[in-house]
Amino acid sequence: MKAIGIILAGGNNSRMQELSKKRAIAAMPVGGSYRSIDFVLSNMSNSRIQTVAVLTQYSARSLNEHLSSSKWWDFGRKQGGLYVFNPTVTADNSWWYRGTADAMYQNISFLKKRHEPYVIITSGDCIYKMDYNRVLDYHIGKKADITVVCKDMGEGEDVSRFGVIRMNEDAKIVEFEEKPMVSQSGTISTGIYILRRRQLIEMLERSAEEDRWDFVTDILIRYKNMKRIYGYKIKEYWSNIATAESYFQTNIDFLKPDVRKYFFRDEPKICSKVDDLPPAKYNAGSDVRNSLVASGCIINSKVEDSVLFKKVFVGKNCVIRNSVILNDVYIGDNTHIENCIVESRNTLKANTYYCGSDGIRIVSENNERYML
Amino acid sequence: MRVARTNKRREVKDVIRKEMIAMLLAGGQGSRLGVLTAGVAKPAVAFGGKYRIIDFPLSNCINSGIDTVGVLTQYQPLRLNTHIGIGIPWDLDRNNGGVTILPPYEKSDNSEWYTGTANAVFQNMTYMESHHPEYVLILSGDHIYKMDYGTMLEFHKRQKADVTIATMPVPMEEAGRFGIVVTDENRRIEAFEEKPKEPRSNLASMGIYIFTWEVLKEALYTLRDQSGCDFGRHIIPYCHEKGLVLSAYEYNGYWKDVGTLGSYWEANMELVDLIPEFNLYEEYWKIYTRSDVIEPQYLAAGSVVEKSIIGEGCEIYGEVSHSVIGSGVCIGEGAVVRDSIIMKDTCIGEGARVEKAIIAEGCSIGKNVSLGAFAEAPNCLNASIYSFGLVTIGEDSVIPDGVAVGKNTAISGVTARDDYPEGILKSGGVLIKAGDIV
């Protein structure tokens, strides 16, 4: 592969509410067995990209732990590998990453040392499958300076949290607005960009001289009329999990047969860190319908239309409905959970009731674990 | 591990010494598992949803701090080799030691297959010598148990023993089915009795031995011309006659031989008990395995699942009760699976009825098939293998839509409607289409 990968995984979003308190969005568990960053890492590995840099900043402990070995995504190679860059204090810089461009600028020596001609910049909070080689071929074919992967959102979907794009008939981007209140178009940027490595270095150095630190507003939008910036449309499943509602919906999407087939059955597969958990166990009284259950779960009661992540224990006579239960949650007997996201490593006492009435309720208790 | 000096080849050099290395005997066919082992060695047979039998001794090794394991393979080793790889799941991918697969190999003279358990170990003398062990642990790859070999080694040292045999107490009335050891009050072994009519003790040998390296080396060299040299029949009696110190280590945990279809089925079924004696869900003493399927399992709106263990990536549309289901299995709508073991990537057609069956990996069971129908009848090929009322189906078999299969039966290979007169395989029948005659 003629490109290196950069994953911007430092971000936090207040719209994740309590969920992003203890981890970066890129480390959010997704689809029962995965974490958000697994999707982009697997895409890179499956596209035969050998060198990937992950730029982290916000609450990176959980993410660093997940990335502690690169072997799960087949990056443990002599050539290339997986690099994790946390912000560090150096002789001439004591800033945190002040923006996405700054995050890359502070690691510009890494960019300069590589020999691959192209760079693929992505974020760690999107759920999709993609062969980046196809985007690169498109980029080369269009003789583009920058290619932005974009997506047509459905009618009536809120696009105000994305960069909104308008293209001409040749797919050249003529308008690019960052998070507009009212938008003219339903096409959004997915935060995946391809450009030449030398070009990126030049742009980053120029922005740094002007004290500009954001890749989208300070580079993409400013260069829009000067450089050839093209859009590549993704037609398959793509979802951004950076708000509590979309996070919930993305997980529930996995209950659809076509989404499940696309991510679980079709090659290439998504890889993740293996946890060595035993298979899921269903005791007498379990009644599980239209739900996903990950390994290590023990279930004693009713579960409907829900996603249970790894190592969830469900006690007797519970009802769990339309909910997402994250990793390692203990649910005591006679508990009712409906329209909730239960934060990981929680212990829910017996005889409790949690129900999201309008919208999704995020449950995060700090009870002591009392196991058998 | 420690560094020591040896005088090998007349030069003094530093070497890394492993205190104890393990030799894991995994070359056996396990013919009593019938069609299940037609294409794979017994240690590679699936167990408990996502595991293979060899995962248990391998996990015990790493959990006991043994990081050098030689795996002796012979019969159908491909599945075993790909499963073990370089030992990553068990953390046995080491710069020094780790797991090494040891198949029989051609020598300048006297090339032969492994003719017996001790002969197999003898043929790998150079492997053992290269690690300069103080003790060697001999294991077999066909038991389900969690055991700390470190405690057994401490016992071996405390006893100042030359050989330690792991034993477990069995009910006195059953002792006649085992190899029994008779000990004195200091746990020194006085006598051996193989399947005694009137047992003098109830300590059964588990086929797990610790040898002091020099003792093992000497015994293997002395008996190198013994045909079919075996630990239980030749090496241990030889050491005993020579007057060496043999002691019996008593193990009191769960230990299950899964050598027959009946005991294999039983051991799997015990896992679905509420709190089974052999608990896979304990944090302590994890069992590791290679898992290439990681996605969660899906239970559809019409599914009913109770008292079962279900592996990753399954899609369940039908009814499952009291069963152990492997990874990537699909159970169609309206299908009923009871008291059965279904291994990896098998597909059960819509409306099928599966009762008390063991179905190996990659099978395809047609729609409305009924397995385990009719009254019991003894098996026509080998009644001692195919009994317990089980239906046993070998790897990659295909069963056409709508047929009925009786109890104590075995099927292997791609079968068509014509193979079932009147759409029936009677109880006790055998249908083997593949080249292998079992």
Side-chain angles (χ1 to χ4, degrees):
Chain A
M1 181 72 178
K2 289 177 290 190
I4 57 169
I6 292 182
I7 301 173
L8 302 167
N12 177 29
N13 192 326
S14 57
R15 292 175 69 179
M16 284 303 267
Q17 303 169 34
E18 295 99 308
L19 289 174
S20 65
K21 255 191 191 154
K22 53 181 191 190
R23 55 176 108 69
I25 298 176
M28 284 303 291
V30 171
S33 306
Y34 306 93
R35 286 183 185 260
S36 176
I37 200 168
D38 289 334
F39 290 82
V40 55
L41 280 174
S42 303
N43 286 339
M44 296 222 168
S45 173
N46 294 334
S47 303
R48 303 274 164 261
I49 294 175
Q50 288 182 316
T51 309
V52 174
V54 180
L55 305 177
T56 67
Q57 172 154 293
Y58 175 80
S59 217
R61 187 202 56 79
S62 172
L63 188 58
N64 287 340
E65 197 178 298
H66 188 62
L67 302 178
S68 62
S69 170
S70 56
K71 64 183 164 195
W72 313 115
W73 304 274
D74 215 8
F75 285 123
R77 300 280 143 219
K78 283 189 169 179
Q79 302 194 337
L82 183 67
Y83 297 79
V84 180
F85 295 123
N86 293 303
T88 52
V89 173
T90 61
D92 42 27
N93 176 37
S94 59
W95 293 96
W96 292 92
Y97 295 153
R98 283 161 288 182
T100 47
D102 189 37
M104 290 186 274
Y105 177 73
Q106 289 195 26
N107 296 295
I108 205 154
S109 59
F110 166 78
L111 280 173
K112 286 182 171 169
K113 257 192 311 201
R114 304 306 310 176
H115 56 83
E116 291 88 343
Y118 294 95
V119 179
I120 298 171
I121 302 171
T122 65
S123 63
D125 58 358
C126 295
I127 309 304
Y128 63 103
K129 265 187 177 181
M130 177 173 264
D131 183 353
Y132 298 117
N133 291 296
R134 286 166 59 187
V135 190
L136 187 58
D137 289 345
Y138 176 88
H139 176 82
I140 294 167
K142 287 282 184 194
K143 295 195 173 54
D145 290 314
I146 303 175
T147 297
V148 180
V149 178
C150 49
K151 167 93 181 159
D152 284 332
M153 297 301 270
E155 279 292 312
E157 269 187 72
D158 177 27
V159 294
S160 64
R161 65 189 177 96
F162 298 110
V164 177
I165 283 171
R166 228 179 46 210
M167 296 189 268
N168 66 13
E169 57 286 357
D170 187 36
K172 188 163 188 275
I173 292 175
V174 291
E175 206 169 310
F176 196 124
E177 291 178 285
E178 180 69 342
K179 299 177 180 135
M181 295 301 283
V182 180
S183 61
Q184 303 297 319
S185 154
T187 306
I188 58 148
S189 159
T190 61
I192 305 165
Y193 316 101
I194 289 194
L195 68 168
R196 275 190 303 113
R197 186 173 53 89
R198 298 285 343 156
Q199 169 93 75
L200 176 66
I201 291 169
E202 198 181 292
M203 286 171 161
L204 290 173
E205 283 180 336
R206 175 105 184 252
S207 295
E209 276 170 26
E210 297 169 1
D211 277 343
R212 292 173 182 271
W213 309 120
D214 189 69
F215 184 74
V216 175
T217 54
D218 298 330
I219 294 180
L220 268 187
I221 292 180
R222 291 185 73 223
Y223 282 90
K224 162 182 85 190
N225 300 322
M226 194 179 131
K227 296 283 181 188
R228 293 166 59 83
I229 304 184
Y230 277 80
Y232 173 95
K233 279 195 184 166
I234 175 170
K235 304 214 169 48
E236 294 84 7
Y237 185 93
W238 178 89
S239 166
N240 176 289
I241 59 160
T243 70
E245 296 76 33
S246 64
Y247 174 71
F248 181 83
Q249 190 52 47
T250 302
N251 278 302
I252 294 294
D253 276 348
F254 282 90
L255 296 178
K256 297 176 189 159
D258 54 325
V259 175
R260 229 169 37 243
K261 179 176 180 294
Y262 182 58
F263 284 107
F264 295 171
R265 293 261 178 269
D266 294 352
E267 296 288 340
K269 295 267 180 83
I270 306 297
C271 307
S272 186
K273 186 178 170 186
V274 172
D275 276 342
D276 297 301
L277 291 167
K281 189 171 177 203
Y282 301 84
N283 290 328
S286 79
D287 180 8
V288 183
R289 282 153 197 257
N290 189 34
S291 296
L292 277 172
V293 179
S295 47
C297 287
I298 301 180
I299 297 171
N300 292 298
S301 54
K302 194 176 177 74
V303 178
E304 271 180 8
D305 308 319
S306 298
V307 179
L308 270 56
F309 283 71
K310 293 174 189 170
K311 239 181 124 191
V312 172
F313 179 89
V314 182
K316 294 190 187 88
N317 297 318
C318 296
V319 176
I320 296 173
R321 205 171 273 146
N322 194 38
S323 293
V324 173
I325 318 285
L326 301 191
N327 296 312
D328 194 13
V329 171
Y330 178 92
I331 298 171
D333 298 350
N334 312 316
T335 298
H336 185 104
I337 300 172
E338 198 165 340
N339 307 333
C340 289
I341 299 174
V342 181
E343 179 58 296
S344 64
R345 281 169 249 300
N346 250 307
T347 300
L348 305 186
K349 286 183 179 157
N351 310 313
T352 45
Y353 183 85
Y354 301 93
C355 184
S357 43
D358 51 322
I360 298 308
R361 175 169 171 192
I362 296 169
V363 179
S364 185
E365 301 272 5
N366 292 312
N367 296 326
E368 286 290 310
R369 175 72 51 103
Y370 46 97
M371 288 294 284
L372 301 164
Chain B
M1 189 169 89
R2 68 172 204 241
V3 176
R5 277 161 187 276
T6 67
N7 288 319
K8 205 178 169 191
R9 292 194 204 97
R10 285 197 199 152
E11 61 182 88
V12 180
K13 64 174 188 178
D14 288 335
V15 294
I16 286 174
R17 285 199 79 165
K18 298 278 180 182
E19 185 178 32
M20 180 154 80
I21 65 168
M23 297 297 272
L24 177 49
L25 300 157
Q29 177 183 358
S31 56
R32 287 175 302 157
L33 289 179
V35 288
L36 292 186
T37 54
V40 294
K42 178 168 151 188
V45 170
F47 183 86
K50 68 186 283 191
Y51 304 98
R52 297 190 186 280
I53 295 172
I54 198 166
D55 291 336
F56 296 90
L58 277 179
S59 301
N60 285 339
C61 279
I62 196 68
N63 288 339
S64 307
I66 299 169
D67 65 3
T68 309
V69 183
V71 179
L72 300 119
T73 62
Q74 175 155 289
Y75 176 80
Q76 291 281 19
L78 178 64
R79 173 75 51 76
L80 212 47
N81 292 347
T82 50
H83 182 67
I84 294 171
I86 58 166
I88 288 175
W90 305 272
D91 229 356
L92 286 169
D93 51 327
R94 298 289 168 124
N95 285 342
N96 198 302
V99 66
T100 310
I101 306 262
L102 303 167
Y105 56 94
E106 194 178 333
K107 304 163 196 70
S108 55
D109 60 330
N110 204 17
S111 303
E112 57 178 357
W113 292 100
Y114 294 154
T115 58
T117 51
N119 176 268
V121 173
F122 172 72
Q123 290 196 41
N124 289 288
M125 196 61 102
T126 38
Y127 169 79
M128 292 187 286
E129 273 182 336
S130 70
H131 290 290
H132 310 280
E134 290 169 56
Y135 306 98
V136 177
L137 172 68
I138 308 290
L139 299 170
S140 65
D142 43 8
H143 299 126
I144 306 297
Y145 63 112
K146 292 181 185 175
M147 179 172 173
D148 187 348
Y149 305 129
T151 328
M152 183 172 165
L153 179 61
E154 276 166 35
F155 173 84
H156 179 83
K157 289 185 205 162
R158 207 166 51 238
Q159 290 275 316
K160 297 192 171 59
D162 296 304
V163 186
T164 297
I165 301 175
T167 59
M168 63 181 295
V170 293
M172 208 61 183
E173 56 274 21
E174 285 181 35
R177 297 198 291 122
F178 295 91
I180 294 294
V181 297
V182 183
T183 61
D184 66 10
E185 66 278 10
N186 295 321
R187 299 253 163 233
R188 296 270 180 93
I189 295 174
E190 289 175 331
F192 293 93
E193 296 173 331
E194 190 60 33
K195 301 199 171 106
K197 283 201 182 65
E198 283 171 12
R200 286 194 283 149
S201 137
N202 68 338
L203 283 181
S205 166
M206 296 161 65
I208 299 166
Y209 313 103
I210 288 178
F211 284 89
T212 301
W213 166 234
E214 298 302 331
V215 172
L216 177 66
K217 195 168 155 182
E218 192 273 331
L220 289 174
Y221 267 116
T222 312
L223 296 179
R224 66 184 179 276
D225 293 326
Q226 172 71 45
S227 68
C229 191
D230 182 271
F231 278 101
R233 264 177 296 155
H234 305 113
I235 300 289
I236 300 291
Y238 167 80
C239 293
H240 188 50
E241 277 158 32
K242 223 178 128 192
L244 297 174
V245 181
L246 274 64
S247 52
Y249 171 74
E250 193 177 320
Y251 167 78
N252 284 303
Y254 181 92
W255 183 85
K256 188 96 180 174
D257 177 79
V258 288
T260 64
L261 287 171
S263 62
Y264 171 80
W265 180 80
E266 234 172 61
N268 272 281
M269 288 304 136
E270 281 169 6
L271 293 175
V272 306
D273 290 345
L274 194 57
I275 298 172
E277 201 185 337
F278 189 73
N279 194 348
L280 292 168
Y281 296 80
E282 289 165 338
E283 279 298 300
Y284 176 69
W285 215 266
K286 267 194 183 180
I287 304 298
Y288 302 95
T289 188
R290 181 196 190 94
S291 23
D292 33 10
V293 185
I294 56 166
E295 59 265 21
Q297 54 198 265
Y298 177 72
L299 277 67
S303 71
V304 182
V305 177
E306 238 190 358
K307 293 188 210 152
S308 295
I309 284 183
I310 298 190
E312 282 96 338
C314 290
E315 298 254 335
I316 314 283
Y317 295 89
E319 194 181 321
V320 180
S321 71
H322 202 253
S323 295
V324 175
I325 313 287
S327 311
V329 170
C330 180
I331 295 179
E333 216 169 305
V336 178
V337 176
R338 282 212 184 95
D339 305 322
S340 295
I341 300 163
I342 299 178
M343 300 180 203
K344 205 175 159 190
D345 296 334
T346 284
C347 219
I348 309 285
E350 289 163 21
R353 264 193 99 73
V354 178
E355 293 204 27
K356 231 184 151 185
I358 303 175
I359 305 177
E361 297 167 40
C363 291
S364 171
I365 310 297
K367 290 176 188 164
N368 302 314
V369 166
S370 175
L371 300 179
F374 315 125
E376 225 171 290
N379 188 273
C380 62
L381 186 72
N382 193 329
S384 66
I385 292 179
Y386 302 109
S387 51
F388 319 102
L390 288 162
V391 178
T392 312
I393 297 176
E395 271 185 52
D396 300 318
S397 301
V398 175
I399 297 184
D401 292 352
V403 300
V405 176
K407 298 185 174 76
N408 293 332
T409 47
I411 299 174
S412 172
V414 179
T415 62
R417 181 80 191 188
D418 298 347
D419 300 317
Y420 300 84
E422 294 163 34
I424 285 172
L425 180 69
K426 282 187 198 142
S427 288
V430 173
L431 189 52
I432 291 172
K433 294 278 281 190
D436 311 301
I437 302 298
V438 182

